[in-house]
Amino acid sequence: MSRLQRRIILIDFLRTGDVLEHLITFSGIEFRITVHRIGWDFETAAEILKSQDGFVDGFAISGIQKRVGSGSKPLQHPGYLKLLRMVQRTPLYLADDLRDLFTEWALQKISRSEPHLLAGRKLLFQCASVTPALERFEQAGVMIEAADALILGGVPLPIRGREELGRFLKIARPLHQLRSIEALKPEQKMLSPSRLKALIGWLEGADGLVTFGSLLDRVMTPEFLSALASKLVIVDYLTPETRRRLEEANVGQVLELVPELPGLESLPIRHFSIITAVLDQCRLAEASPLPFDEYVLQAIQAKQLEPARFSRTHRKLPVRCAFVIHPLTEGDLFKHPALSWLPGSPELVRRAALGAVARSPGFHYGSIRGAVSQANGQEVICDLYGLPMTPRQIMALPEEQLYERLLDIAHKAQKRGAAILGLGAYTKVAGDAGVTVARHSPIPVTNGNSYSASTTLWAARIMSEKMGFVSLDPSQRGIRTRQKAMVIGATGSIGRVSALLVSLVTDELVLVAQRADKLLELREEVMRLNPVVTVKITTRADDELSDTDLIVTATSNTRGQLLDILKVKPGAVICDCSRPLDVTAEMSRLRPDVMVIQSGEVELPGDVQIDCDIGLPKPSVYACLAETILLAMEGRFENFSLSKTLSMDRVKEIYQMGLKHGAHLSEIQTHEGVVTDAMIQRCRELAIARLNPAGVGGVDPDSLTRLTRSDDGRKPVPYAGRQD
Amino acid sequence: MRIFLTGASGFLGKWVLKGLLDSPTVTAVQVLTRTKSSHPDPRVSVIQKDIADPSLINDITLRPDAVIHLAGLYRFGSRFSENYRANVLGTQNLLEALRAHAPMRILHASTYAVGIGSAELANSRLPELPSRDHAYAHTKALAERLMEQAGDQLRHSVEIFRLGILVGDSVSGSHEKSDGPYGLAERLLQFAKHVPEHMPVLLPVDPEALLPLVAVDEAARVIVASALAADPGGLRYRAVYRADSVRVAELVEDLLDEVARRSGRRLSPMFRPVSHPGALRVLEGILGAKAEDLAYAQWRARLESGEDESSLTHWASLSPVFFKGVTGA
């Protein structure tokens, strides 16, 4: 191989400034690269080309390419034709071929390894007509919004999609033929205040930008950089200065398409045309018999080149997930403005309208934004999709139809860029709790039951301690309480896991369900997990209520009263995990000495904004919804909680994940609203009075700990709840 | 001493060559010129070639002790590409040709115009380039940067001379081109023949701006003296003009006095900035001079001159010779 220095002249049509010179060594060959930054000036380019033709080894061109437009019939760039006529002896290197190859390759890799990065994202293309691999972008789920009409013609209308771009080029081509290529001057026109303002406006509504390094350099005003914060930038290459400015602007992620070539790292302008020139000169120096395309293929293998590199700033690109919700009652449906007239209408009309509404497809109902992990800074956007059916309607629907409706939502969510789908309320109760949906869904699925179960016990444990009627078992190192607990609906998905979890912290457990065979099986499972706990099974909850301290209900009961509230022990805590609630407000009012709480509400980390009504005070969310978001924060885009059988490992795992990312139990809800110290105190006093109705002297109510068990003299856990 | 000289056939080059040949220490001068093929002085060898011709590298036979680079383009109305070719590609080509002889001592003729658009021009590296709209200034600034890079990378000793507006020599006042202040003077003389007395003359320039004029022979003397002196090495900037040179208003008054003396008509100057580009171009056509060539209005010129300033003639003494050059009398 020749050791003589090879000279390359790069003519940059999009930048102006000093003439630069760089020395690099690649594959043992020294290259001297002189960069003339002349802007859109064909006359000066002609002077350079004509004077140096035959005296240098190659001309590389930045800002002009061979082809315009994508698809089967791209047009030849008139600037390229002009340049070709200016040289006779020295090869002319443009970026197209290599850039097309690496862009296609990069997008393929990303679509496989990080599909959520591009799927559903609206990306602004600064000049789509000269951007390669547009079809590949669309296949990856990108929504193309192009600024070509603005940049080239000053028309402030975005072009949407390849088809529209094709129509634009058909119209634009004859118009451009009426004026010379020299008059185009894109690098100047880009900077006109009105065009820049329009571009920034579009960028603010997009998820990211696809551009070229030389174009990007021209428009990086402070306002433009501000619009790029937290967004994705896909660019052919960046100069060190541009990279620094993007990092300062907190750009979300930067994807540089140019490969890392050893020896070229020090070159500030790693334009594809330079890389083409360098590779071809190596080919010539080696006297390789291979044509250029084949030589490149061999070089990629030999040097193990990779197609693109990511820069990630500390701000991560938001990840999107989705969650399916539905109204829990007809009253929830009536809250919608379009249906608000229904309550006053005749029964027949109301039924017909609700039936029609129930048949309509799922729709994007709203979004939750601003959830940001405290552990890794990952922001998650959750799109909520509404299925306009009540629980009764969902349970009455044939399973196949329900799965179809949910899969339709899954596809919609995926198009919008969701990486995982959560199933809420009855959409996970009906059918097989997500198994079939997950099998056919384009994105992973979870039914959220693991976190629901986890937060159930969390809420129950906190409230039991706050009520102060139970004590910790000293032999169990403060983990287990001396209390009798009951789980109603114990053989259901949440009930089973609740039973297993409660068995860890109680010394007596009653399991209540309809199916005796399942109860027997569950009892054995609990005793295997916790041999020290006393387990009783029954199909009749009422028989055991009088001395039960903690009751967890986890049923899908839609038919009637689950338990006789009047038989519940004073001072007991009922943790109602079911939706709709098993213990109604009316039932709760009958027993003000019993604390009835609703579980499952979670507060996510970050400044969470919910733009719709999900039936909870903002910013609380349901635990099953929180599970979906936590998985997205963790980057666990996989089926997590499926079927009606919960895994204890998954329950523990999601609980730990919640702690890690900063989720916590939100204020505990009762029928009267958020639990307060005063409410707890009032409930305690009423419970004490009921337990000691005669007011026998010498008994200090505050000294009472366990009121039905032998007292070991230990004081209750001091209450330190919310102050009014 | 052996010298390689470019631009020898130009307005300044002729004087520099004369100055070199007047020195007994100069033993050989190889000149690069487009227009001549020989020189009567036996010490002089001629390369007849364009400065931007890359084959120049093969033609430099002299191993010079110093290179004086004067070749470039200064022509009113020339296109950016022409300026780029002569001033940037030419300089680059010269540096390429000298690679084989690096390190080298280079004396490079630049211009005070590289400071256009700046608040002041100091004897140091330019903090930024002048706008591309000023093709001459921009390309001469690019050429300075090339020289600086050559100094940094190839360890050339580089001396950059920022010349003022060259006017006729200090003895006869004879000049070559009728542009800049000469163009203005000649146009005013023509104008005065046809208009009534006290006719206002619209001048789109700042009257307080400075015109750093320098007589061509004096500029050449500075360059030659530097070339023949010991090489201090490194990178140095020399301003070849008087920082207290003539104000535009003063020059115009003197011009109009001369016009009045010759034509009997005293015109009245009206200094008004003209912002409309079209109108400005028309006026410049009439005046025969670009407004910014006459006065860089944004730059009231805190020109920082060098130690040579005291050797340059002030306008007050230069003006009679200047008008002699204008009128030929």
Side-chain angles (χ1 to χ4, degrees):
Chain A
M1 184 184 298
S2 168
R3 297 277 172 185
L4 284 176
Q5 191 184 73
R6 300 265 164 157
R7 283 196 64 200
I8 307 287
I9 287 182
L10 171 68
I11 299 178
D12 192 336
F13 278 85
L14 294 178
R15 292 187 177 95
T16 57
D18 291 342
V19 178
L20 304 172
E21 197 152 280
H22 306 287
L23 274 176
I24 58 162
T25 302
F26 182 78
S27 285
I29 300 175
E30 193 174 74
F31 286 88
R32 185 148 58 96
I33 298 169
T34 306
V35 183
H36 289 271
R37 300 183 292 173
I38 60 171
W40 200 259
D41 185 346
F42 283 82
E43 277 189 16
T44 302
E47 291 288 354
I48 297 168
L49 292 170
K50 286 173 182 167
S51 72
Q52 298 294 317
D53 190 19
F55 290 95
V56 294
D57 297 291
F59 294 116
I61 305 293
S62 168
I64 303 279
Q65 51 189 65
K66 294 179 191 173
R67 296 176 289 272
V68 176
S70 61
S72 57
K73 290 184 183 174
L75 309 169
Q76 274 206 309
H77 196 296
Y80 170 59
L81 296 173
K82 207 173 177 73
L83 293 174
L84 271 183
R85 288 192 283 272
M86 295 177 189
V87 293
Q88 310 280 340
R89 291 166 284 173
T90 300
L92 200 62
Y93 296 108
L94 281 82
D96 303 57
D97 298 329
L98 216 56
R99 185 169 56 204
D100 289 2
L101 168 67
F102 278 91
T103 305
E104 292 270 357
W105 187 14
L107 290 174
Q108 275 183 50
K109 280 194 83 165
I110 290 163
S111 295
R112 273 200 313 275
S113 59
E114 292 184 74
H116 61 277
L117 188 68
L118 296 177
R121 304 258 185 219
K122 183 165 80 168
L123 299 181
L124 178 65
F125 286 65
Q126 203 166 348
C127 200
S129 49
V130 294
T131 301
L134 286 183
E135 189 176 347
R136 185 73 66 182
F137 273 106
E138 279 192 338
Q139 283 171 356
V142 166
M143 291 180 280
I144 294 174
E145 191 164 273
D148 295 56
L150 177 73
I151 299 294
L152 301 174
V155 178
L157 288 173
I159 297 169
R160 298 200 164 100
R162 282 192 312 128
E163 275 189 36
E164 210 168 292
L165 180 69
R167 286 195 290 275
F168 165 76
L169 288 175
K170 268 193 187 151
I171 298 168
R173 185 186 177 192
L175 290 175
H176 275 296
Q177 282 171 342
L178 291 176
R179 60 174 180 169
S180 67
I181 184 73
E182 288 85 349
L184 200 60
K185 294 191 189 295
E187 89 287 14
Q188 289 180 22
K189 288 181 179 162
M190 235 178 291
L191 287 177
S192 86
S194 59
R195 292 187 197 197
L196 204 51
K197 187 178 173 185
L199 198 68
I200 291 169
W202 295 344
L203 187 56
E204 282 167 351
D207 297 310
L209 176 72
V210 180
T211 184
F212 300 90
S214 44
L215 286 184
L216 183 61
D217 284 349
R218 304 295 301 171
V219 295
M220 286 205 309
T221 60
E223 295 76 19
F224 189 89
L225 286 170
S226 173
L228 271 183
S230 298
K231 298 206 172 146
L232 172 66
V233 174
I234 299 178
V235 64
D236 51 353
Y237 76 96
L238 292 174
T239 62
E241 172 62 17
T242 309
R243 181 194 300 278
R244 183 190 64 76
R245 292 185 68 194
L246 289 177
E247 284 177 353
E248 279 176 3
N250 288 324
V251 168
Q253 289 184 20
V254 176
L255 173 57
E256 268 183 279
L257 298 168
V258 71
E260 296 208 37
L261 280 166
L264 265 62
E265 309 90 342
S266 61
L267 198 59
I269 303 179
R270 288 167 293 109
H271 196 257
F272 272 105
S273 63
I274 287 277
I275 294 172
T276 305
V278 166
L279 286 174
D280 193 50
Q281 288 300 311
C282 287
R283 181 180 71 95
L284 294 171
E286 292 169 20
S288 169
L290 298 174
F292 180 69
D293 291 350
E294 187 60 33
Y295 182 84
V296 167
L297 213 51
Q298 301 307 320
I300 289 172
Q301 291 175 84
K303 297 185 189 300
Q304 295 180 314
L305 299 182
E306 287 292 313
R309 49 181 155 175
F310 274 100
S311 308
R312 285 192 172 86
T313 63
H314 66 279
R315 290 284 298 274
K316 290 189 171 192
L317 211 59
V319 165
R320 203 174 274 265
C321 65
F323 190 77
V324 184
I325 59 174
H326 66 86
L328 293 177
T329 64
E330 286 181 1
D332 291 332
L333 272 172
F334 298 151
K335 286 180 190 171
H336 195 287
L339 302 175
S340 57
W341 56 275
L342 276 176
S345 57
E347 172 75 14
L348 205 62
V349 170
R350 200 165 63 245
R351 290 279 138 237
L354 289 175
V357 165
R359 282 191 287 276
S360 56
F363 57 95
H364 180 242
Y365 176 61
S367 295
I368 299 175
R369 293 174 185 271
V372 179
S373 164
Q374 290 173 1
N376 60 15
Q378 178 64 64
E379 184 182 347
V380 176
I381 298 172
C382 184
D383 289 325
L384 301 170
Y385 288 84
L387 192 64
M389 302 174 76
T390 62
R392 198 184 296 274
Q393 286 171 320
I394 290 174
M395 295 304 285
L397 194 66
E399 286 179 5
E400 287 68 31
Q401 288 186 29
L402 176 65
Y403 301 151
E404 272 177 30
R405 305 281 294 272
L406 294 175
L407 284 170
D408 174 60
I409 290 175
H411 282 283
K412 284 177 177 154
Q414 190 240 3
K415 269 192 187 166
R416 212 179 145 83
I420 186 169
L421 175 72
L423 302 177
Y426 275 71
T427 64
K428 61 182 170 186
V429 172
D432 55 14
V435 172
T436 302
V437 173
R439 193 177 302 133
H440 300 287
S441 167
I443 51 178
V445 174
T446 185
N447 61 31
N449 282 345
S450 301
Y451 206 42
S452 294
S454 165
T455 54
T456 299
L457 181 67
W458 200 353
R461 174 69 184 260
I462 288 175
M463 195 45 62
S464 287
E465 289 174 4
K466 286 185 176 180
M467 284 297 288
F469 290 112
V470 298
S471 62
L472 296 172
D473 183 344
S475 69
Q476 295 294 318
R477 291 173 293 169
I479 296 171
R480 197 176 294 278
T481 51
R482 288 177 184 245
Q483 66 175 349
K484 179 176 172 183
M486 176 189 291
V487 178
I488 303 177
T491 55
S493 182
I494 296 178
R496 175 181 156 272
V497 173
S498 298
L500 291 170
L501 291 173
V502 169
S503 74
L504 295 173
V505 298
T506 190
D507 56 356
E508 190 178 343
L509 178 62
V510 179
L511 305 174
V512 182
Q514 296 294 310
R515 297 266 304 264
D517 55 330
K518 289 197 171 183
L519 275 173
L520 286 163
E521 194 184 331
L522 180 61
R523 177 171 173 271
E524 283 176 11
E525 191 180 355
V526 170
M527 289 174 72
R528 270 198 305 275
L529 182 66
N530 292 290
V532 300
V533 67
T534 305
V535 182
K536 188 173 178 180
I537 56 174
T538 178
T539 60
R540 294 156 57 88
D542 291 349
D543 295 345
E544 300 288 334
L545 290 175
S546 64
D547 63 345
T548 301
D549 302 292
L550 168 66
I551 302 165
V552 177
T553 74
T555 78
S556 53
N557 176 42
T558 58
R559 280 184 288 277
Q561 192 173 308
L562 192 70
L563 52 78
D564 185 351
I565 194 76
L566 296 174
K567 293 184 177 174
V568 174
K569 172 186 164 187
V573 173
I574 301 179
C575 184
D576 192 346
C577 304
S578 308
R579 299 290 183 275
L581 297 165
D582 286 328
V583 182
T584 63
E586 292 74 22
M587 289 166 66
S588 180
R589 277 196 285 276
L590 289 173
R591 293 297 303 276
D593 58 314
V594 170
M595 181 59 74
V596 180
I597 65 170
Q598 300 156 15
S599 71
E601 281 83 314
V602 171
E603 200 162 313
L604 293 163
D607 181 18
V608 176
Q609 307 292 325
I610 307 174
D611 64 11
C612 53
D613 180 5
I614 61 171
L616 292 175
K618 295 173 184 178
S620 296
V621 298
Y622 298 108
C624 45
L625 195 163
E627 176 172 313
T628 312
I629 291 176
L630 287 170
L631 290 170
M633 281 180 181
E634 185 74 4
R636 293 278 296 272
F637 302 115
E638 59 192 65
N639 299 325
F640 194 77
S641 303
L642 289 181
S643 86
K644 296 184 180 178
T645 305
L646 280 184
S647 153
M648 275 291 283
D649 288 340
R650 289 276 158 136
V651 170
K652 288 179 189 171
E653 196 179 358
I654 193 70
Y655 172 72
Q656 291 297 334
M657 216 182 285
L659 290 179
K660 173 185 168 186
H661 292 293
H664 58 270
L665 211 60
S666 63
E667 294 156 330
I668 300 173
Q669 297 284 330
T670 70
H671 286 293
E672 293 172 14
V674 173
V675 171
T676 65
D677 285 355
M679 286 163 69
I680 294 174
Q681 186 58 27
R682 188 165 60 241
C683 184
R684 264 179 59 87
E685 284 168 0
L686 289 171
I688 291 168
R690 192 163 176 141
L691 285 166
N692 189 16
V696 173
V699 176
D700 177 1
D702 283 340
S703 74
L704 289 174
T705 55
R706 299 196 58 206
L707 303 177
T708 57
R709 303 294 181 101
S710 58
D711 191 335
D712 62 0
R714 289 177 65 83
K715 286 197 175 169
V717 172
Y719 172 64
R722 178 183 149 143
Q723 304 297 321
D724 276 341
Chain B
M1 194 175 187
R2 299 180 300 269
I3 307 283
F4 184 80
L5 173 65
T6 72
S9 47
F11 184 41
L12 176 64
K14 291 195 193 68
W15 284 93
V16 168
L17 180 59
K18 179 178 178 311
L20 290 171
L21 294 177
D22 283 346
S23 168
T25 61
V26 172
T27 55
V29 182
Q30 190 163 50
V31 302
L32 176 70
T33 170
R34 281 177 303 172
T35 55
K36 299 277 195 298
S37 59
S38 64
H39 193 278
D41 193 312
R43 289 176 291 172
V44 178
S45 57
V46 178
I47 302 172
Q48 189 176 10
K49 191 159 271 190
D50 185 86
I51 184 65
D53 187 336
S55 65
L56 176 65
I57 195 171
N58 302 319
D59 297 327
I60 301 180
T61 53
L62 187 73
R63 198 339 183 158
D65 298 302
V67 173
I68 302 176
H69 177 42
L70 307 179
L73 178 69
Y74 178 69
R75 189 171 65 232
F76 174 59
S78 55
R79 303 174 72 81
F80 184 88
S81 56
E82 292 171 300
N83 277 279
Y84 200 90
R85 184 176 193 285
N87 299 330
V88 179
L89 296 180
T91 300
Q92 192 173 46
N93 199 47
L94 173 70
L95 291 170
E96 194 63 34
L98 292 176
R99 268 183 179 258
H101 305 286
M104 174 59 54
R105 184 181 181 190
I106 303 175
L107 294 90
H108 171 70
S110 184
T111 170
Y112 86 113
V114 296
I116 188 172
S118 308
E120 59 182 28
L121 178 62
N123 285 341
S124 57
R125 287 185 202 239
L126 294 172
E128 57 184 8
L129 297 171
S131 163
R132 275 173 58 94
D133 291 342
H134 307 292
Y136 174 66
H138 183 84
T139 54
K140 290 299 281 186
L142 288 178
E144 280 196 16
R145 293 273 172 91
L146 285 171
M147 283 290 172
E148 289 158 3
Q149 280 172 31
D152 294 338
Q153 291 169 10
L154 299 171
R155 292 178 292 117
H156 290 316
S157 161
V158 175
E159 198 162 2
I160 294 176
F161 296 86
R162 288 175 180 153
L163 303 168
I165 299 175
L166 294 176
V167 293
D169 69 88
S170 57
V171 175
S172 69
S174 62
H175 59 285
E176 289 191 346
K177 290 185 213 168
S178 291
D179 56 11
Y182 291 102
L184 178 62
E186 286 166 14
R187 295 298 172 98
L188 286 176
L189 274 171
Q190 292 285 332
F191 193 59
K193 288 177 187 169
H194 305 290
V195 298
E197 187 160 6
H198 301 297
M199 173 81 179
V201 179
L202 179 61
L203 296 168
V205 292
D206 179 359
E208 296 308 310
L210 291 178
L211 290 173
L213 305 179
V214 58
V216 63
D217 56 334
E218 295 182 338
R221 188 179 67 240
V222 169
I223 293 172
V224 171
S226 292
L228 298 180
D231 180 9
L235 176 64
R236 299 167 310 288
Y237 299 83
R238 305 277 295 277
V240 190
Y241 48 76
R242 288 191 67 102
D244 60 350
S245 193
V246 63
R247 287 166 46 248
V248 165
E250 196 184 337
L251 171 72
V252 168
E253 285 295 333
D254 288 349
L255 267 176
L256 293 177
D257 284 346
E258 185 65 23
V259 165
R261 200 172 68 79
R262 297 214 165 256
S263 66
R265 288 184 172 83
R266 186 65 166 85
L267 303 177
S268 300
M270 191 165 68
F271 296 100
R272 292 280 186 274
V274 175
S275 57
H276 189 281
L280 186 60
R281 294 288 93 86
V282 167
L283 267 173
E284 287 172 346
I286 294 170
L287 292 170
K290 287 194 88 166
E292 58 262 25
D293 288 344
L294 285 177
Y296 299 108
Q298 290 173 14
W299 173 26
R300 290 290 178 86
R302 280 209 307 275
L303 296 168
E304 191 183 302
S305 190
E307 64 275 17
D308 302 294
E309 182 179 35
S310 57
S311 69
L312 303 177
T313 307
H314 194 280
W315 168 253
S317 305
L318 200 56
S319 60
V321 179
F322 176 84
F323 290 117
K324 193 170 154 189
V326 170
T327 62

